[in-house]
Each structure stands twice: as structure tokens, then as C-alpha cells.
PDB file of all heavy atoms in Angstrom:
ATOM      1  N   LYS A   1     -15.613   0.393  19.009  1.00  0.00           N
ATOM      2  CA  LYS A   1     -14.442   1.057  19.577  1.00  0.00           C
ATOM      3  C   LYS A   1     -14.577   1.064  21.096  1.00  0.00           C
ATOM      4  O   LYS A   1     -15.279   1.894  21.664  1.00  0.00           O
ATOM      5  CB  LYS A   1     -14.327   2.482  19.036  1.00  0.00           C
ATOM      6  CG  LYS A   1     -13.040   3.187  19.428  1.00  0.00           C
ATOM      7  CD  LYS A   1     -12.887   4.518  18.705  1.00  0.00           C
ATOM      8  CE  LYS A   1     -13.899   5.524  19.156  1.00  0.00           C
ATOM      9  NZ  LYS A   1     -13.648   6.872  18.577  1.00  0.00           N
ATOM     10  N   ALA A   2     -13.942   0.106  21.748  1.00  0.00           N
ATOM     11  CA  ALA A   2     -14.072  -0.057  23.192  1.00  0.00           C
ATOM     12  C   ALA A   2     -12.838  -0.772  23.729  1.00  0.00           C
ATOM     13  O   ALA A   2     -12.055  -1.341  22.951  1.00  0.00           O
ATOM     14  CB  ALA A   2     -15.343  -0.860  23.514  1.00  0.00           C
ATOM     15  N   PRO A   3     -12.617  -0.780  25.059  1.00  0.00           N
ATOM     16  CA  PRO A   3     -11.406  -1.379  25.635  1.00  0.00           C
ATOM     17  C   PRO A   3     -11.078  -2.800  25.206  1.00  0.00           C
ATOM     18  O   PRO A   3      -9.893  -3.115  25.029  1.00  0.00           O
ATOM     19  CB  PRO A   3     -11.690  -1.289  27.148  1.00  0.00           C
ATOM     20  CG  PRO A   3     -12.530  -0.073  27.284  1.00  0.00           C
ATOM     21  CD  PRO A   3     -13.423  -0.075  26.084  1.00  0.00           C
ATOM     22  N   PRO A   4     -12.071  -3.713  25.012  1.00  0.00           N
ATOM     23  CA  PRO A   4     -11.677  -5.074  24.610  1.00  0.00           C
ATOM     24  C   PRO A   4     -10.930  -5.135  23.287  1.00  0.00           C
ATOM     25  O   PRO A   4     -10.186  -6.085  23.045  1.00  0.00           O
ATOM     26  CB  PRO A   4     -13.034  -5.804  24.506  1.00  0.00           C
ATOM     27  CG  PRO A   4     -13.941  -5.056  25.410  1.00  0.00           C
ATOM     28  CD  PRO A   4     -13.520  -3.622  25.295  1.00  0.00           C
ATOM     29  N   LEU A   5     -11.120  -4.136  22.436  1.00  0.00           N
ATOM     30  CA  LEU A   5     -10.501  -4.160  21.107  1.00  0.00           C
ATOM     31  C   LEU A   5      -8.998  -3.892  21.153  1.00  0.00           C
ATOM     32  O   LEU A   5      -8.280  -4.207  20.199  1.00  0.00           O
ATOM     33  CB  LEU A   5     -11.200  -3.127  20.209  1.00  0.00           C
ATOM     34  CG  LEU A   5     -10.737  -3.000  18.762  1.00  0.00           C
ATOM     35  CD1 LEU A   5     -10.889  -4.320  18.005  1.00  0.00           C
ATOM     36  CD2 LEU A   5     -11.505  -1.887  18.049  1.00  0.00           C
ATOM     37  N   VAL A   6      -8.503  -3.328  22.243  1.00  0.00           N
ATOM     38  CA  VAL A   6      -7.115  -2.851  22.311  1.00  0.00           C
ATOM     39  C   VAL A   6      -6.088  -3.899  21.875  1.00  0.00           C
ATOM     40  O   VAL A   6      -5.230  -3.615  21.026  1.00  0.00           O
ATOM     41  CB  VAL A   6      -6.797  -2.307  23.718  1.00  0.00           C
ATOM     42  CG1 VAL A   6      -5.292  -2.086  23.891  1.00  0.00           C
ATOM     43  CG2 VAL A   6      -7.540  -0.991  23.956  1.00  0.00           C
ATOM     44  N   PRO A   7      -6.100  -5.138  22.399  1.00  0.00           N
ATOM     45  CA  PRO A   7      -5.081  -6.110  21.963  1.00  0.00           C
ATOM     46  C   PRO A   7      -5.160  -6.440  20.474  1.00  0.00           C
ATOM     47  O   PRO A   7      -4.129  -6.726  19.847  1.00  0.00           O
ATOM     48  CB  PRO A   7      -5.387  -7.349  22.813  1.00  0.00           C
ATOM     49  CG  PRO A   7      -6.139  -6.845  23.980  1.00  0.00           C
ATOM     50  CD  PRO A   7      -6.952  -5.711  23.458  1.00  0.00           C
ATOM     51  N   VAL A   8      -6.363  -6.392  19.902  1.00  0.00           N
ATOM     52  CA  VAL A   8      -6.518  -6.669  18.477  1.00  0.00           C
ATOM     53  C   VAL A   8      -5.874  -5.548  17.656  1.00  0.00           C
ATOM     54  O   VAL A   8      -5.181  -5.798  16.657  1.00  0.00           O
ATOM     55  CB  VAL A   8      -8.010  -6.830  18.107  1.00  0.00           C
ATOM     56  CG1 VAL A   8      -8.160  -7.138  16.620  1.00  0.00           C
ATOM     57  CG2 VAL A   8      -8.651  -7.925  18.946  1.00  0.00           C
ATOM     58  N   VAL A   9      -6.081  -4.307  18.085  1.00  0.00           N
ATOM     59  CA  VAL A   9      -5.461  -3.163  17.400  1.00  0.00           C
ATOM     60  C   VAL A   9      -3.944  -3.252  17.487  1.00  0.00           C
ATOM     61  O   VAL A   9      -3.230  -3.030  16.498  1.00  0.00           O
ATOM     62  CB  VAL A   9      -5.958  -1.831  18.007  1.00  0.00           C
ATOM     63  CG1 VAL A   9      -5.190  -0.650  17.415  1.00  0.00           C
ATOM     64  CG2 VAL A   9      -7.454  -1.663  17.769  1.00  0.00           C
ATOM     65  N   ILE A  10      -3.435  -3.593  18.667  1.00  0.00           N
ATOM     66  CA  ILE A  10      -1.985  -3.712  18.841  1.00  0.00           C
ATOM     67  C   ILE A  10      -1.438  -4.835  17.965  1.00  0.00           C
ATOM     68  O   ILE A  10      -0.379  -4.684  17.332  1.00  0.00           O
ATOM     69  CB  ILE A  10      -1.647  -3.947  20.326  1.00  0.00           C
ATOM     70  CG1 ILE A  10      -1.931  -2.674  21.126  1.00  0.00           C
ATOM     71  CG2 ILE A  10      -0.181  -4.368  20.497  1.00  0.00           C
ATOM     72  CD1 ILE A  10      -1.812  -2.841  22.626  1.00  0.00           C
ATOM     73  N   ALA A  11      -2.151  -5.956  17.897  1.00  0.00           N
ATOM     74  CA  ALA A  11      -1.702  -7.068  17.042  1.00  0.00           C
ATOM     75  C   ALA A  11      -1.626  -6.646  15.591  1.00  0.00           C
ATOM     76  O   ALA A  11      -0.732  -7.073  14.840  1.00  0.00           O
ATOM     77  CB  ALA A  11      -2.643  -8.257  17.198  1.00  0.00           C
ATOM     78  N   GLN A  12      -2.531  -5.781  15.167  1.00  0.00           N
ATOM     79  CA  GLN A  12      -2.520  -5.295  13.794  1.00  0.00           C
ATOM     80  C   GLN A  12      -1.391  -4.286  13.577  1.00  0.00           C
ATOM     81  O   GLN A  12      -0.603  -4.400  12.635  1.00  0.00           O
ATOM     82  CB  GLN A  12      -3.860  -4.664  13.441  1.00  0.00           C
ATOM     83  CG  GLN A  12      -3.965  -4.233  11.980  1.00  0.00           C
ATOM     84  CD  GLN A  12      -5.247  -3.473  11.711  1.00  0.00           C
ATOM     85  OE1 GLN A  12      -5.554  -2.495  12.382  1.00  0.00           O
ATOM     86  NE2 GLN A  12      -6.010  -3.942  10.726  1.00  0.00           N
ATOM     87  N   GLN A  13      -1.293  -3.307  14.473  1.00  0.00           N
ATOM     88  CA  GLN A  13      -0.323  -2.227  14.289  1.00  0.00           C
ATOM     89  C   GLN A  13       1.117  -2.673  14.486  1.00  0.00           C
ATOM     90  O   GLN A  13       2.026  -2.130  13.848  1.00  0.00           O
ATOM     91  CB  GLN A  13      -0.650  -1.073  15.246  1.00  0.00           C
ATOM     92  CG  GLN A  13      -1.970  -0.388  14.937  1.00  0.00           C
ATOM     93  CD  GLN A  13      -2.238   0.789  15.838  1.00  0.00           C
ATOM     94  OE1 GLN A  13      -1.555   1.004  16.840  1.00  0.00           O
ATOM     95  NE2 GLN A  13      -3.249   1.572  15.501  1.00  0.00           N
ATOM     96  N   GLU A  14       1.329  -3.632  15.360  1.00  0.00           N
ATOM     97  CA  GLU A  14       2.685  -4.101  15.637  1.00  0.00           C
ATOM     98  C   GLU A  14       3.107  -5.252  14.719  1.00  0.00           C
ATOM     99  O   GLU A  14       4.160  -5.855  14.927  1.00  0.00           O
ATOM    100  CB  GLU A  14       2.802  -4.527  17.102  1.00  0.00           C
ATOM    101  CG  GLU A  14       2.567  -3.412  18.095  1.00  0.00           C
ATOM    102  CD  GLU A  14       3.598  -2.298  17.981  1.00  0.00           C
ATOM    103  OE1 GLU A  14       4.811  -2.621  17.943  1.00  0.00           O
ATOM    104  OE2 GLU A  14       3.191  -1.118  17.919  1.00  0.00           O
ATOM    105  N   GLY A  15       2.286  -5.582  13.745  1.00  0.00           N
ATOM    106  CA  GLY A  15       2.658  -6.591  12.755  1.00  0.00           C
ATOM    107  C   GLY A  15       2.526  -8.030  13.214  1.00  0.00           C
ATOM    108  O   GLY A  15       3.058  -8.943  12.567  1.00  0.00           O
ATOM    109  N   MET A  16       1.800  -8.267  14.297  1.00  0.00           N
ATOM    110  CA  MET A  16       1.687  -9.630  14.824  1.00  0.00           C
ATOM    111  C   MET A  16       0.780 -10.491  13.963  1.00  0.00           C
ATOM    112  O   MET A  16       1.035 -11.684  13.786  1.00  0.00           O
ATOM    113  CB  MET A  16       1.206  -9.578  16.272  1.00  0.00           C
ATOM    114  CG  MET A  16       2.221  -8.907  17.195  1.00  0.00           C
ATOM    115  SD  MET A  16       1.519  -8.354  18.756  1.00  0.00           S
ATOM    116  CE  MET A  16       2.936  -7.480  19.457  1.00  0.00           C
ATOM    117  N   PHE A  17      -0.280  -9.913  13.427  1.00  0.00           N
ATOM    118  CA  PHE A  17      -1.106 -10.652  12.473  1.00  0.00           C
ATOM    119  C   PHE A  17      -0.303 -10.972  11.221  1.00  0.00           C
ATOM    120  O   PHE A  17      -0.349 -12.092  10.697  1.00  0.00           O
ATOM    121  CB  PHE A  17      -2.345  -9.835  12.090  1.00  0.00           C
ATOM    122  CG  PHE A  17      -3.435  -9.826  13.124  1.00  0.00           C
ATOM    123  CD1 PHE A  17      -3.973  -8.626  13.579  1.00  0.00           C
ATOM    124  CD2 PHE A  17      -3.947 -11.007  13.637  1.00  0.00           C
ATOM    125  CE1 PHE A  17      -4.982  -8.616  14.520  1.00  0.00           C
ATOM    126  CE2 PHE A  17      -4.956 -11.008  14.579  1.00  0.00           C
ATOM    127  CZ  PHE A  17      -5.476  -9.800  15.031  1.00  0.00           C
ATOM    128  N   ALA A  18       0.434  -9.989  10.728  1.00  0.00           N
ATOM    129  CA  ALA A  18       1.214 -10.181   9.507  1.00  0.00           C
ATOM    130  C   ALA A  18       2.245 -11.290   9.672  1.00  0.00           C
ATOM    131  O   ALA A  18       2.459 -12.100   8.762  1.00  0.00           O
ATOM    132  CB  ALA A  18       1.906  -8.874   9.115  1.00  0.00           C
ATOM    133  N   ARG A  19       2.871 -11.346  10.851  1.00  0.00           N
ATOM    134  CA  ARG A  19       3.867 -12.396  11.094  1.00  0.00           C
ATOM    135  C   ARG A  19       3.237 -13.782  11.138  1.00  0.00           C
ATOM    136  O   ARG A  19       3.916 -14.784  10.922  1.00  0.00           O
ATOM    137  CB  ARG A  19       4.629 -12.102  12.394  1.00  0.00           C
ATOM    138  CG  ARG A  19       5.628 -10.970  12.271  1.00  0.00           C
ATOM    139  CD  ARG A  19       6.639 -10.984  13.405  1.00  0.00           C
ATOM    140  NE  ARG A  19       6.044 -10.648  14.678  1.00  0.00           N
ATOM    141  CZ  ARG A  19       5.880  -9.402  15.133  1.00  0.00           C
ATOM    142  NH1 ARG A  19       6.247  -8.373  14.379  1.00  0.00           N
ATOM    143  NH2 ARG A  19       5.354  -9.179  16.318  1.00  0.00           N
ATOM    144  N   GLU A  20       1.939 -13.827  11.410  1.00  0.00           N
ATOM    145  CA  GLU A  20       1.218 -15.102  11.392  1.00  0.00           C
ATOM    146  C   GLU A  20       0.640 -15.409  10.008  1.00  0.00           C
ATOM    147  O   GLU A  20      -0.074 -16.395   9.839  1.00  0.00           O
ATOM    148  CB  GLU A  20       0.082 -15.084  12.426  1.00  0.00           C
ATOM    149  CG  GLU A  20       0.545 -15.105  13.860  1.00  0.00           C
ATOM    150  CD  GLU A  20       1.279 -16.378  14.224  1.00  0.00           C
ATOM    151  OE1 GLU A  20       0.997 -17.424  13.614  1.00  0.00           O
ATOM    152  OE2 GLU A  20       2.153 -16.328  15.117  1.00  0.00           O
ATOM    153  N   GLY A  21       0.946 -14.561   9.038  1.00  0.00           N
ATOM    154  CA  GLY A  21       0.444 -14.798   7.696  1.00  0.00           C
ATOM    155  C   GLY A  21      -1.012 -14.408   7.520  1.00  0.00           C
ATOM    156  O   GLY A  21      -1.699 -14.934   6.649  1.00  0.00           O
ATOM    157  N   LEU A  22      -1.497 -13.473   8.365  1.00  0.00           N
ATOM    158  CA  LEU A  22      -2.885 -13.021   8.294  1.00  0.00           C
ATOM    159  C   LEU A  22      -2.957 -11.584   7.796  1.00  0.00           C
ATOM    160  O   LEU A  22      -2.186 -10.723   8.240  1.00  0.00           O
ATOM    161  CB  LEU A  22      -3.547 -13.095   9.670  1.00  0.00           C
ATOM    162  CG  LEU A  22      -3.846 -14.473  10.244  1.00  0.00           C
ATOM    163  CD1 LEU A  22      -4.355 -14.332  11.677  1.00  0.00           C
ATOM    164  CD2 LEU A  22      -4.875 -15.213   9.399  1.00  0.00           C
ATOM    165  N   GLN A  23      -3.876 -11.342   6.902  1.00  0.00           N
ATOM    166  CA  GLN A  23      -4.189  -9.984   6.477  1.00  0.00           C
ATOM    167  C   GLN A  23      -5.470  -9.597   7.215  1.00  0.00           C
ATOM    168  O   GLN A  23      -6.584  -9.822   6.749  1.00  0.00           O
ATOM    169  CB  GLN A  23      -4.413  -9.930   4.968  1.00  0.00           C
ATOM    170  CG  GLN A  23      -4.708  -8.540   4.430  1.00  0.00           C
ATOM    171  CD  GLN A  23      -5.063  -8.586   2.958  1.00  0.00           C
ATOM    172  OE1 GLN A  23      -4.743  -9.552   2.262  1.00  0.00           O
ATOM    173  NE2 GLN A  23      -5.750  -7.558   2.488  1.00  0.00           N
ATOM    174  N   ALA A  24      -5.309  -9.036   8.424  1.00  0.00           N
ATOM    175  CA  ALA A  24      -6.453  -8.761   9.293  1.00  0.00           C
ATOM    176  C   ALA A  24      -7.006  -7.368   9.041  1.00  0.00           C
ATOM    177  O   ALA A  24      -6.262  -6.390   8.979  1.00  0.00           O
ATOM    178  CB  ALA A  24      -6.049  -8.899  10.753  1.00  0.00           C
ATOM    179  N   GLU A  25      -8.314  -7.290   8.912  1.00  0.00           N
ATOM    180  CA  GLU A  25      -9.008  -6.014   8.773  1.00  0.00           C
ATOM    181  C   GLU A  25      -9.981  -5.864   9.930  1.00  0.00           C
ATOM    182  O   GLU A  25     -10.819  -6.732  10.177  1.00  0.00           O
ATOM    183  CB  GLU A  25      -9.770  -5.952   7.450  1.00  0.00           C
ATOM    184  CG  GLU A  25     -10.552  -4.652   7.271  1.00  0.00           C
ATOM    185  CD  GLU A  25     -11.428  -4.655   6.033  1.00  0.00           C
ATOM    186  OE1 GLU A  25     -11.386  -5.654   5.276  1.00  0.00           O
ATOM    187  OE2 GLU A  25     -12.174  -3.677   5.833  1.00  0.00           O
ATOM    188  N   ILE A  26      -9.861  -4.769  10.676  1.00  0.00           N
ATOM    189  CA  ILE A  26     -10.778  -4.475  11.770  1.00  0.00           C
ATOM    190  C   ILE A  26     -11.922  -3.631  11.215  1.00  0.00           C
ATOM    191  O   ILE A  26     -11.703  -2.554  10.663  1.00  0.00           O
ATOM    192  CB  ILE A  26     -10.065  -3.730  12.918  1.00  0.00           C
ATOM    193  CG1 ILE A  26      -8.933  -4.602  13.482  1.00  0.00           C
ATOM    194  CG2 ILE A  26     -11.053  -3.347  14.012  1.00  0.00           C
ATOM    195  CD1 ILE A  26      -8.046  -3.885  14.482  1.00  0.00           C
ATOM    196  N   VAL A  27     -13.141  -4.132  11.340  1.00  0.00           N
ATOM    197  CA  VAL A  27     -14.325  -3.443  10.816  1.00  0.00           C
ATOM    198  C   VAL A  27     -15.122  -2.916  12.001  1.00  0.00           C
ATOM    199  O   VAL A  27     -15.624  -3.698  12.819  1.00  0.00           O
ATOM    200  CB  VAL A  27     -15.203  -4.392   9.972  1.00  0.00           C
ATOM    201  CG1 VAL A  27     -16.354  -3.627   9.341  1.00  0.00           C
ATOM    202  CG2 VAL A  27     -14.366  -5.097   8.910  1.00  0.00           C
ATOM    203  N   LEU A  28     -15.232  -1.598  12.126  1.00  0.00           N
ATOM    204  CA  LEU A  28     -15.919  -0.991  13.268  1.00  0.00           C
ATOM    205  C   LEU A  28     -17.411  -0.820  12.998  1.00  0.00           C
ATOM    206  O   LEU A  28     -17.814  -0.446  11.894  1.00  0.00           O
ATOM    207  CB  LEU A  28     -15.294   0.362  13.609  1.00  0.00           C
ATOM    208  CG  LEU A  28     -13.849   0.318  14.128  1.00  0.00           C
ATOM    209  CD1 LEU A  28     -13.334   1.728  14.380  1.00  0.00           C
ATOM    210  CD2 LEU A  28     -13.742  -0.525  15.399  1.00  0.00           C
ATOM    211  N   TYR A  29     -18.206  -1.086  14.025  1.00  0.00           N
ATOM    212  CA  TYR A  29     -19.659  -0.945  13.964  1.00  0.00           C
ATOM    213  C   TYR A  29     -20.115  -0.038  15.106  1.00  0.00           C
ATOM    214  O   TYR A  29     -19.415   0.107  16.114  1.00  0.00           O
ATOM    215  CB  TYR A  29     -20.336  -2.310  14.071  1.00  0.00           C
ATOM    216  CG  TYR A  29     -20.111  -3.187  12.858  1.00  0.00           C
ATOM    217  CD1 TYR A  29     -19.011  -4.040  12.786  1.00  0.00           C
ATOM    218  CD2 TYR A  29     -20.994  -3.162  11.788  1.00  0.00           C
ATOM    219  CE1 TYR A  29     -18.799  -4.842  11.671  1.00  0.00           C
ATOM    220  CE2 TYR A  29     -20.793  -3.964  10.667  1.00  0.00           C
ATOM    221  CZ  TYR A  29     -19.695  -4.803  10.617  1.00  0.00           C
ATOM    222  OH  TYR A  29     -19.484  -5.594   9.516  1.00  0.00           O
ATOM    223  N   PRO A  30     -21.295   0.559  14.985  1.00  0.00           N
ATOM    224  CA  PRO A  30     -21.744   1.500  16.029  1.00  0.00           C
ATOM    225  C   PRO A  30     -22.190   0.842  17.330  1.00  0.00           C
ATOM    226  O   PRO A  30     -22.123   1.454  18.389  1.00  0.00           O
ATOM    227  CB  PRO A  30     -22.916   2.241  15.357  1.00  0.00           C
ATOM    228  CG  PRO A  30     -23.418   1.292  14.312  1.00  0.00           C
ATOM    229  CD  PRO A  30     -22.202   0.554  13.824  1.00  0.00           C
ATOM    230  N   THR A  31     -22.668  -0.405  17.262  1.00  0.00           N
ATOM    231  CA  THR A  31     -23.173  -1.083  18.458  1.00  0.00           C
ATOM    232  C   THR A  31     -22.731  -2.545  18.467  1.00  0.00           C
ATOM    233  O   THR A  31     -22.395  -3.113  17.428  1.00  0.00           O
ATOM    234  CB  THR A  31     -24.713  -1.058  18.504  1.00  0.00           C
ATOM    235  OG1 THR A  31     -25.235  -1.826  17.406  1.00  0.00           O
ATOM    236  CG2 THR A  31     -25.246   0.370  18.446  1.00  0.00           C
ATOM    237  N   LEU A  32     -22.775  -3.135  19.660  1.00  0.00           N
ATOM    238  CA  LEU A  32     -22.435  -4.555  19.775  1.00  0.00           C
ATOM    239  C   LEU A  32     -23.454  -5.432  19.061  1.00  0.00           C
ATOM    240  O   LEU A  32     -23.103  -6.480  18.515  1.00  0.00           O
ATOM    241  CB  LEU A  32     -22.357  -4.953  21.251  1.00  0.00           C
ATOM    242  CG  LEU A  32     -21.093  -4.514  21.991  1.00  0.00           C
ATOM    243  CD1 LEU A  32     -21.216  -4.804  23.480  1.00  0.00           C
ATOM    244  CD2 LEU A  32     -19.854  -5.191  21.417  1.00  0.00           C
ATOM    245  N   GLU A  33     -24.714  -5.008  19.040  1.00  0.00           N
ATOM    246  CA  GLU A  33     -25.725  -5.783  18.330  1.00  0.00           C
ATOM    247  C   GLU A  33     -25.420  -5.803  16.833  1.00  0.00           C
ATOM    248  O   GLU A  33     -25.604  -6.820  16.161  1.00  0.00           O
ATOM    249  CB  GLU A  33     -27.118  -5.201  18.571  1.00  0.00           C
ATOM    250  CG  GLU A  33     -28.245  -5.954  17.876  1.00  0.00           C
ATOM    251  CD  GLU A  33     -28.301  -7.441  18.208  1.00  0.00           C
ATOM    252  OE1 GLU A  33     -27.929  -7.833  19.330  1.00  0.00           O
ATOM    253  OE2 GLU A  33     -28.725  -8.224  17.319  1.00  0.00           O
ATOM    254  N   ALA A  34     -24.913  -4.681  16.310  1.00  0.00           N
ATOM    255  CA  ALA A  34     -24.527  -4.632  14.894  1.00  0.00           C
ATOM    256  C   ALA A  34     -23.343  -5.557  14.626  1.00  0.00           C
ATOM    257  O   ALA A  34     -23.277  -6.215  13.578  1.00  0.00           O
ATOM    258  CB  ALA A  34     -24.187  -3.199  14.495  1.00  0.00           C
ATOM    259  N   VAL A  35     -22.415  -5.630  15.577  1.00  0.00           N
ATOM    260  CA  VAL A  35     -21.274  -6.553  15.453  1.00  0.00           C
ATOM    261  C   VAL A  35     -21.774  -7.991  15.425  1.00  0.00           C
ATOM    262  O   VAL A  35     -21.358  -8.803  14.588  1.00  0.00           O
ATOM    263  CB  VAL A  35     -20.285  -6.362  16.622  1.00  0.00           C
ATOM    264  CG1 VAL A  35     -19.186  -7.417  16.569  1.00  0.00           C
ATOM    265  CG2 VAL A  35     -19.677  -4.969  16.586  1.00  0.00           C
ATOM    266  N   ARG A  36     -22.683  -8.292  16.330  1.00  0.00           N
ATOM    267  CA  ARG A  36     -23.232  -9.653  16.420  1.00  0.00           C
ATOM    268  C   ARG A  36     -23.936 -10.040  15.120  1.00  0.00           C
ATOM    269  O   ARG A  36     -23.742 -11.141  14.599  1.00  0.00           O
ATOM    270  CB  ARG A  36     -24.200  -9.728  17.601  1.00  0.00           C
ATOM    271  CG  ARG A  36     -24.761 -11.102  17.903  1.00  0.00           C
ATOM    272  CD  ARG A  36     -25.604 -11.024  19.172  1.00  0.00           C
ATOM    273  NE  ARG A  36     -26.113 -12.320  19.590  1.00  0.00           N
ATOM    274  CZ  ARG A  36     -27.259 -12.843  19.216  1.00  0.00           C
ATOM    275  NH1 ARG A  36     -28.053 -12.184  18.377  1.00  0.00           N
ATOM    276  NH2 ARG A  36     -27.647 -14.020  19.665  1.00  0.00           N
TER     277      ARG A  36
END
């Protein structure tokens, strides 16, 4: 949960992924190393 994620959240909430035919799930992790 950090500033770079903002456009991805907006793409999900505003239906932009859905319009591209994607079922996007954002999976949050506690650290960047865990994401990696």
C-alpha cells in the first residue's frame, strides 16, 4: 500500500481492467521484498 499503486487501484475501481477483459485482483503484501 504505497503511492505507486494508485493508478492500478483506479484502473480497478473505475472499470478500466474490466473493459480490457481482465479480472484483476490486487494482492497486498507487508513489504516490497514479500511482493518480489
Side-chain angles (χ1 to χ4, degrees):
K1 188 172 68 173
L5 181 59
V6 168
V8 181
V9 173
I10 290 172
Q12 185 186 54
Q13 294 183 349
E14 298 297 311
M16 295 162 186
F17 283 128
R19 286 197 291 274
E20 290 296 332
L22 290 174
Q23 182 186 340
E25 178 186 357
I26 299 172
V27 185
L28 294 178
Y29 291 89
T31 65
L32 283 172
E33 180 55 31
V35 174
R36 185 175 184 270

